[in-house]
């Protein structure tokens, strides 16, 4: 990482004495200024909220609160852990230590996936004649849900157009599940999620790797609580851990992420997978399991976030191999670049930008 | 009557005001007051033409309903009713006059007629005014909420400081009038001063605020001794204010003309023409890093309009806001181009029709004299503090500008009709 020049530090200090602290983590003046503004707004609102509550244990004024926030930020604590939340679509996702912070790339993939589902439904509606006819349940499974951000945003985007939804979020970490449920309640309270979400979104514990490649047990087991479940799902979406142990160490992964975010959500470990498969790359384990799962559950749409273009290519090959093994019919595989704007045509897509691999079963009738 | 006949009239006036003056009011000066009753024949003929169209269309509407026609009829109904009233009043005046001129009418009837005539004549100016206002076509964005952009112009730091004061003024104005407003974008300049604006965009969400605030577009000039000045000299700086239409989200049942998603709409933006960039350093993304940079920059390639947005922590929110601003700017630019074209046509036909452009100085705030002068309506108010607090005086200024705008429109309409008449009456000259 290039050193920050003295001039940049001086310039920052002239503007605000706390700015050089933020510069250590942000590395750019504009970004540091933005973070300072967000932190200051939060400090002010926290202090005013406390004053309104008139709690006696309020020793800090907003200035000292801001200072302590900036100090922890300069140590590399993710901004979202300091502020306690992160906007995701129109939702506000709470963030806590021990659970991965939702990323902007995941947000854009989720938005795009929801757009795809809505398009398909619209087309179907046209072919069937009437839109209101659809009463069938649309089932979505989000594996490795973490904060629950994908599952919740999916519900927020789809609920106005689909009468019946059931969205299941699965994660290994109990901490993540607790936070996901908290997020569900929090966003319903804020009004950014409809009340239906309380009935239609579930979070359950499960290990995607432990079941091996043998069966879709993970889905079946967790679906016992959902009435009329047959172990099938329509849409499978996931942002699994995808960093290789090497990329975790060699500086590709930033210090802040390495130290403060849970390794469980970042690097797949072979030990937890139980059986050993002939995979040349450890970081792709999850895709193997998730894609086989999707064939067993006969998902019509699978959306998987990948770390970079090369990994996406590998995932494409994995899905081709598995499709062959499961003898599934026509399958269309696309790779989405995350940088693209859902509204406009995108700029340049870089090779080390995350992508999404999208599998669509074209043999199954969409209804 | 006064007992002493030799009191000078000025003294008398001063004496009288001593009693009349009960509460201090901001001193208003108007250079030009428009109280003429006269309605130019060309305007009247236009009104008759439109009323005839109204009659024809409403007859048509009875046979078959058509949304577009119904809308047009609704627009014309106002003109038709105003014209009817005008005709009725004029008729009754003529009738009463003949009654008065007639030698046979008895005295009782005559006194009644005189009374009637007076009320009718009093009514006439307001009716004429109504008719004029009805004739002015509604602004296409009149029903929309708006975005207010404030940017400092010439004048360096001082312009930035004053821009911040204008921002406060408009926010105070909105809260006093009960309009919901929120700051979409706020950028302060580099330096230690917090209140030196480099750009601000305020969204005013209440419908119809575009029409109320569109008087504010233009360059606002400030004359004062800046806080940064050490020698006590008065500086002149400028801040540019733009009022843009804010388009509602789609699917809210807007009428076709303003639906920006419809490729046939005038305000449609082809997504292919917009380049979207994330202003982010290169390198790995996704789980590898946790970047908080959420800035988005949109460039509309054909016009070169650039909107960048970095206020929110969410890229998605920034992108949404950037699109909203881009849409607003393009719509305003397109509307502006259309107006320019109209003005050009008019000018080509008869010359000398004034139009205040965005680049023109519209208002001066002079701190030394505590006055604010609007250069369009010519109104001056000597209560700068109230104006900068977004108080009633600001309303007064905006009201005066609005009537000025209507006067302008009417003058242009009249001129246009005149040209039309001339074209019809005089056969094209041969070389």
């Amino acid at each position: 990482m290039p050193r920050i020049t003295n001039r940049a530090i001086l310039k920052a200090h002239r503007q605000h004495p706390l700015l050089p602290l933020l510069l250590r983590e942000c590395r750019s003046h504009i970004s540091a200024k933005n973070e300072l503004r967000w932190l200051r707004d939060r400090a002010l609102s926290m202090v005013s909220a406390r004053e309104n509550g008139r709690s006696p244990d309020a020793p800090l004024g907003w200035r000292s609160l801001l200072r302590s926030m900036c100090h922890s930020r300069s140590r590399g604590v993710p901004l979202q852990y300091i502020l306690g939340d992160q906007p995701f679509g129109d939702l506000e996702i709470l963030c806590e230590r021990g659970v991965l912070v939702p990323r902007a790339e995941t947000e854009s993939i989720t938005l795009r996936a929801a757009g795809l589902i809505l398009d398909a439904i619209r087309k179907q509606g046209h072919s069937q004649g009437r839109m209101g006819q659809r009463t069938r349940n649309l089932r979505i499974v989000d594996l490795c849900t973490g904060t629950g951000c994908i599952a919740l945003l999916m519900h927020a985007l789809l609920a106005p157009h689909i009468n019946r939804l059931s969205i299941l979020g699965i994660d290994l970490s109990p901490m993540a599940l607790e936070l996901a449920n908290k997020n569900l309640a929090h966003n319903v309270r804020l009004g950014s999620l409809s009340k239906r979400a309380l009935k239609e979104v579930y979070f359950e514990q499960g290990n995607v790797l432990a079941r091996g490649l043998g069966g879709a047990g993970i889905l079946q087991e967790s679906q016992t609580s959902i009435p009329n479940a047959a172990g099938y799902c329509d849409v499978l979406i996931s942002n699994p851990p995808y960093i290789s142990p090497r990329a975790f160490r060699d500086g590709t992964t930033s210090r802040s992420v390495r130290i403060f975010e849970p390794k469980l959500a970042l690097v797949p470990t072979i030990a937890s997978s139980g059986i050993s498969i002939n995979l040349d790359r450890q970081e792709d384990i999850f895709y193997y399991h998730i894609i086989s799962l999707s064939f067993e559950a006969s998902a019509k749409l699978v959306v998987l976030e990948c770390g970079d273009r090369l990994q996406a290519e590998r995932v494409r090959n994995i899905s081709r191999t598995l499709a062959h093994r499961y003898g599934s019919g026509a399958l269309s595989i696309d790779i989405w670049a995350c940088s693209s704007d859902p509204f406009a045509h995108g700029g340049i897509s870089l090779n080390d930008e995350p992508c999404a691999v999208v599998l669509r079963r074209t043999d199954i009738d969409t209804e | 009557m006064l007992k002493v006949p030799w009191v000078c009239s000025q003294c008398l006036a001063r004496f009288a005001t001593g009693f009349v003056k009960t509460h201090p009011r901001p001193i208003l000066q108007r250079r030009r007051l428009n109280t003429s009753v006269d309605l130019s024949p060309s305007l009247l003929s236009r009104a008759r033409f439109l009323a005839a169209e109204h009659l024809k269309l409403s007859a048509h509407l009875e046979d078959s309903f058509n949304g577009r026609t119904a809308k047009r009829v609704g627009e014309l109904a106002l003109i038709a009713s105003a014209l009817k009233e005008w005709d009725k009043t004029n008729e009754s005046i003529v009738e009463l006059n003949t009654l008065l001129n007639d030698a046979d009418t008895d005295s009782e009837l005559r006194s009644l007629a005189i009374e009637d005539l007076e009320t009718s004549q009093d009514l006439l100016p307001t009716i004429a005014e109504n008719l004029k206002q009805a004739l002015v076509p509604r602004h296409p964005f009149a029903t929309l909420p708006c975005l207010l952009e404030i940017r400092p112009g010439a004048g360096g730091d001082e312009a930035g400081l004053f821009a911040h004061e204008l921002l406060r003024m408009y926010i105070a104005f909105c809260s006093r009038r009960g309009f919901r407003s929120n700051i979409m974008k706020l950028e302060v300049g580099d330096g230690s001063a917090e209140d030196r604006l480099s750009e601000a965009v305020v969204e005013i969400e209440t419908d119809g605020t575009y029409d109320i605030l569109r008087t504010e577009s233009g360059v606002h000039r400030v004359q004062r001794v800046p806080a940064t000045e050490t020698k006590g000299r008065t500086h002149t700086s400028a801040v540019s204010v733009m009022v843009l239409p804010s388009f509602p989200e789609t699917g809210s049942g807007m009428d076709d003309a303003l639906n920006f998603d419809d490729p046939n709409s005038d305000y449609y933006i082809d997504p292919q023409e917009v380049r979207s960039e994330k202003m982010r350093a290169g390198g790995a993304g996704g789980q590898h890093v946790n970047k908080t940079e959420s800035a988005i920059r949109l460039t509309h390639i054909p016009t070169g309009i650039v909107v960048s947005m970095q206020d929110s922590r969410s890229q998605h929110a920034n992108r949404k806001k950037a699109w909203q601003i881009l849409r607003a700017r393009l719509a305003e630019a397109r509307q502006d181009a259309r107006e320019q074209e109209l003005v050009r046509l008019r000018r080509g036909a008869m010359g000398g029709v004034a139009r205040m452009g965005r680049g023109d100085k519209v208002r001066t705030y002079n701190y030394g004299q505590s006055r604010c002068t609007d250069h369009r309506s010519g109104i001056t108010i000597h209560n700068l503090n109230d104006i900068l607090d977004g108080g009633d005086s600001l309303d007064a200024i905006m009201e005066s500008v609005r009537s000025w705008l209507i006067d302008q429109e009417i003058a242009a309409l009249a001129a246009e009709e005149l040209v039309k008449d001339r074209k019809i009456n005089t056969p094209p000259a041969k070389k």
Side-chain angles (χ1 to χ4, degrees):
Chain A
M1 206 175 336
R3 205 187 155 97
I4 300 172
T5 59
N6 281 344
R7 200 149 55 130
I9 294 175
L10 273 174
K11 184 185 166 202
H13 188 270
R14 263 204 305 276
Q15 279 199 25
H16 200 284
L18 291 173
L19 216 48
L21 283 176
L22 296 176
L23 211 53
R24 279 188 213 163
E25 189 55 36
C26 300
R27 315 306 294 182
S28 85
H29 187 80
I30 297 173
S31 161
K33 245 175 85 174
N34 276 331
E35 286 202 5
L36 182 66
R37 196 183 63 234
W38 296 325
L39 285 170
R40 203 182 61 150
D41 289 350
R42 181 54 57 91
L44 282 168
S45 69
M46 274 167 82
V47 167
S48 68
R50 205 157 37 187
E51 274 164 8
N52 289 339
R54 289 204 181 79
S55 75
D57 47 47
L60 294 175
W62 71 270
R63 275 169 219 280
S64 36
L65 190 62
L66 178 62
R67 194 174 308 118
S68 74
M69 281 172 159
C70 287
H71 275 289
S72 37
R73 183 70 185 128
S74 78
R75 282 196 303 274
V77 180
L79 183 75
Q80 295 86 348
Y81 289 159
I82 299 172
L83 296 176
D85 57 40
Q86 165 71 20
F88 194 79
D90 293 327
L91 305 180
E92 189 181 289
I93 299 292
L94 302 173
C95 301
E96 283 171 13
R97 285 288 275 273
V99 185
L100 189 81
V101 171
R103 304 287 203 265
E105 287 87 356
T106 312
E107 182 184 31
S108 78
I109 290 171
T110 312
L111 289 169
R112 216 167 144 181
L116 199 67
I117 295 169
L118 288 178
D119 274 352
I121 287 171
R122 224 164 272 150
K123 255 182 226 145
Q124 207 175 306
H126 278 302
S127 65
Q128 284 179 359
R130 251 177 296 169
M131 284 283 284
Q133 281 287 320
R134 191 191 170 84
T135 46
R136 214 179 126 270
N137 200 357
L138 183 79
R139 302 169 40 87
I140 300 174
V141 176
D142 170 23
L143 296 172
C144 311
T145 188
T147 52
C149 55
I150 298 180
L152 296 176
L153 184 58
M154 272 289 180
H155 192 275
L157 294 171
L158 298 180
H161 306 280
I162 299 176
N163 300 332
R164 276 172 66 207
L165 274 168
S166 91
I167 301 179
L168 172 66
I170 291 175
D171 204 288
L172 179 63
S173 144
M175 224 199 286
L177 290 173
E178 195 187 319
L179 184 62
N181 279 316
K182 216 193 268 182
N183 271 321
L184 172 59
H186 179 68
N187 281 294
V188 169
R189 194 167 53 240
L190 287 180
S192 34
L193 274 178
S194 69
K195 286 231 164 57
R196 273 170 61 192
L198 290 173
K199 276 189 231 143
E200 294 179 340
V201 183
Y202 304 81
F203 293 104
E204 305 212 342
Q205 191 170 18
N207 187 347
V208 179
L209 303 179
R211 307 283 151 176
L213 295 174
I218 180 164
L219 289 185
Q220 274 154 11
E221 185 189 276
S222 36
Q223 275 154 10
T224 49
S225 59
I226 304 167
N228 307 324
Y232 291 98
C233 74
D234 301 299
V235 179
L236 207 149
I237 184 165
S238 178
N239 175 22
Y242 55 60
I243 300 179
S244 66
R246 198 190 128 93
F248 191 69
R249 279 187 319 256
D250 71 358
T252 316
T253 309
S254 74
R255 189 177 140 270
S256 158
V257 173
R258 220 164 49 225
I259 298 174
F260 293 96
E261 295 199 79
K263 197 175 173 186
L264 182 72
L266 299 166
V267 187
T269 44
I270 298 206
S272 64
S273 106
I275 52 159
S276 62
I277 341 145
N278 278 343
L279 264 183
D280 34 348
R281 286 175 179 269
Q282 190 183 333
E283 65 265 32
D284 297 342
I285 289 180
F286 269 91
Y287 299 108
Y288 229 103
H289 288 257
I290 293 170
I291 295 167
S292 353
L293 205 63
S294 80
F295 286 126
E296 281 154 25
S298 41
K300 287 157 205 149
L301 174 70
V302 184
V303 181
L304 302 167
E305 185 177 327
C306 304
D308 53 32
R309 180 63 67 166
L310 289 175
Q311 189 169 33
E313 295 291 347
R314 290 199 305 271
V315 172
R316 194 211 292 255
N317 290 335
I318 292 174
S319 19
R320 286 216 181 105
T321 321
L322 286 173
H324 190 69
R325 189 185 297 171
Y326 281 91
S328 83
L331 184 74
S332 83
I333 307 175
D334 293 319
I335 296 180
W336 288 346
C338 289
S339 52
S340 65
D341 186 330
F343 298 107
H345 77 121
I348 333 106
S349 140
L350 300 165
N351 268 343
D352 50 2
E353 285 251 308
C355 329
V357 174
V358 182
L359 314 180
R360 266 176 286 188
R361 297 279 286 269
T362 41
D363 57 332
I364 307 174
D365 180 19
T366 31
E367 176 43 82
Chain B
M1 275 317 299
L2 230 73
K3 287 273 171 65
V4 203
W6 37 263
V7 174
C8 134
S9 65
Q10 272 185 6
C11 299
L12 192 66
R14 209 170 290 158
F15 174 73
T17 50
F19 290 104
V20 175
K21 207 178 188 177
T22 47
H23 50 88
R25 290 179 53 198
I27 307 156
L28 299 183
Q29 288 175 1
R30 260 190 205 214
R31 240 185 270 150
R32 197 167 42 77
L33 277 175
N34 197 344
T35 51
S36 57
V37 194
D38 62 310
L39 206 57
S40 74
S42 52
L43 271 186
L44 210 57
S45 74
R46 183 179 174 79
R48 289 205 195 291
F49 176 74
L50 289 175
E53 189 187 338
H54 174 250
L55 205 68
K56 203 176 75 190
L57 283 181
S58 43
H60 190 264
L61 207 61
E62 275 168 17
D63 299 336
S64 62
F65 186 80
N66 176 333
R68 190 157 296 195
T69 321
K71 203 177 150 222
R72 179 79 182 142
V73 167
E75 283 168 3
L76 292 176
L78 215 61
I79 299 174
S81 69
L83 185 68
K84 212 175 274 173
E85 209 170 332
W86 162 266
D87 282 344
K88 214 173 73 191
T89 319
N90 269 332
E91 246 170 56
S92 70
I93 288 175
V94 170
E95 238 170 65
L96 290 169
N97 272 332
T98 49
L99 205 64
L100 286 179
N101 291 338
D102 197 353
D104 297 343
T105 31
D106 56 54
S107 63
E108 196 177 334
L109 203 60
R110 191 176 285 267
S111 72
L112 274 176
I114 288 172
E115 212 170 276
D116 259 14
L117 190 64
E118 269 170 8
T119 53
S120 292
Q121 266 165 349
D122 283 350
L123 227 58
L124 208 55
T126 48
I127 291 171
E129 199 58 34
N130 282 347
L131 184 56
K132 273 188 201 171
Q133 291 201 1
L135 273 176
V136 174
R138 257 166 91 73
H139 196 280
F141 303 147
T143 53
L144 291 178
C146 68
L147 301 181
L148 189 80
E149 272 191 352
I150 302 176
R151 256 196 234 107
D157 283 2
E158 159 67 358
L161 288 172
F162 185 65
H164 201 269
E165 268 167 69
L166 278 188
L167 174 68
R168 272 209 305 262
M169 172 176 99
Y170 286 119
I171 287 173
F173 171 78
C174 288
S175 66
R176 190 176 60 81
R177 292 283 301 263
F179 303 146
R180 262 191 308 159
S181 67
N182 62 312
I183 298 179
M184 276 178 94
K185 177 175 184 176
L186 184 75
E187 267 175 26
V188 289
D190 282 341
S192 51
E194 272 291 295
D195 47 2
R196 233 179 30 203
L197 212 62
S198 63
E199 189 183 351
V201 180
V202 185
E203 183 186 17
I204 300 160
E205 292 170 11
T206 312
D207 282 348
T209 42
Y210 180 85
D211 202 33
I212 294 170
L213 282 158
R214 82 191 163 101
T215 58
E216 301 303 291
S217 278
V219 173
H220 295 233
R221 189 172 68 166
V222 60
Q223 292 174 324
R224 64 175 176 185
V225 182
T228 50
E229 168 67 43
T230 47
K231 297 197 179 76
R233 292 170 295 196
T234 301
H235 288 213
T236 300
S237 336
V239 171
S240 111
V241 174
M242 282 270 258
V243 178
L244 309 172
S246 161
F247 289 90
E249 296 270 322
T250 35
S252 53
M254 280 301 294
D255 62 71
D256 310 330
L258 296 174
N259 184 357
F260 57 79
D261 264 353
D262 179 10
N264 301 321
S265 155
D266 285 344
Y267 308 110
Y268 174 72
I269 302 174
D270 186 357
Q272 293 297 316
E273 290 179 341
V274 178
R275 190 172 62 232
S276 152
E277 293 156 281
K278 282 194 260 182
M279 289 185 281
R280 216 201 76 159
Q287 292 171 5
H288 298 96
V289 290
N290 180 10
K291 282 268 159 75
T292 58
E293 288 162 344
S294 53
I296 287 286
R297 183 167 58 205
L298 299 181
T299 313
H300 187 243
I301 300 161
T303 56
I305 295 178
V306 177
V307 180
S308 65
M309 199 73 208
Q310 56 176 16
D311 280 38
S312 164
R313 280 199 285 141
S314 149
Q315 227 167 56
H316 170 66
N318 280 337
R319 184 176 289 133
K320 240 162 100 180
K321 284 183 186 172
W323 266 97
Q324 195 184 354
I325 295 176
L326 182 67
R327 258 183 219 121
R329 279 199 196 151
L330 272 171
E332 183 75 14
R334 285 173 188 175
Q335 172 65 21
D336 208 38
R338 216 167 302 150
E339 274 172 26
Q340 289 285 12
E341 181 65 16
L342 258 174
V343 167
R344 206 179 55 77
L345 283 177
R346 282 174 189 165
R347 193 174 287 149
M350 65 250 167
V353 175
R355 183 176 173 279
M356 274 292 185
R358 318 252 163 257
D360 293 318
K361 171 186 76 186
V362 297
R363 200 176 286 167
T364 297
Y365 302 79
N366 188 312
Y367 279 64
Q369 299 164 15
S370 180
R371 77 172 161 88
C372 178
T373 302
D374 196 285
H375 303 293
R376 292 163 296 183
S377 62
I379 192 174
T380 292
I381 291 189
H382 286 274
N383 192 352
L384 194 60
N385 285 337
D386 187 43
I387 289 169
L388 290 174
D389 290 340
D392 290 327
S393 312
L394 184 61
D395 262 333
I397 291 186
M398 286 168 71
E399 190 49 53
S400 78
V401 176
R402 207 164 299 125
S403 59
W404 177 85
L405 279 174
I406 289 173
D407 287 352
Q408 284 303 101
E409 282 280 349
I410 288 168
L413 271 181
E416 207 175 295
E417 288 298 318
L418 214 64
V419 169
K420 250 189 233 164
D421 287 352
R422 209 177 295 159
K423 266 186 195 156
I424 293 163
N425 295 339
T426 56
K430 281 176 193 162
K431 274 183 192 171

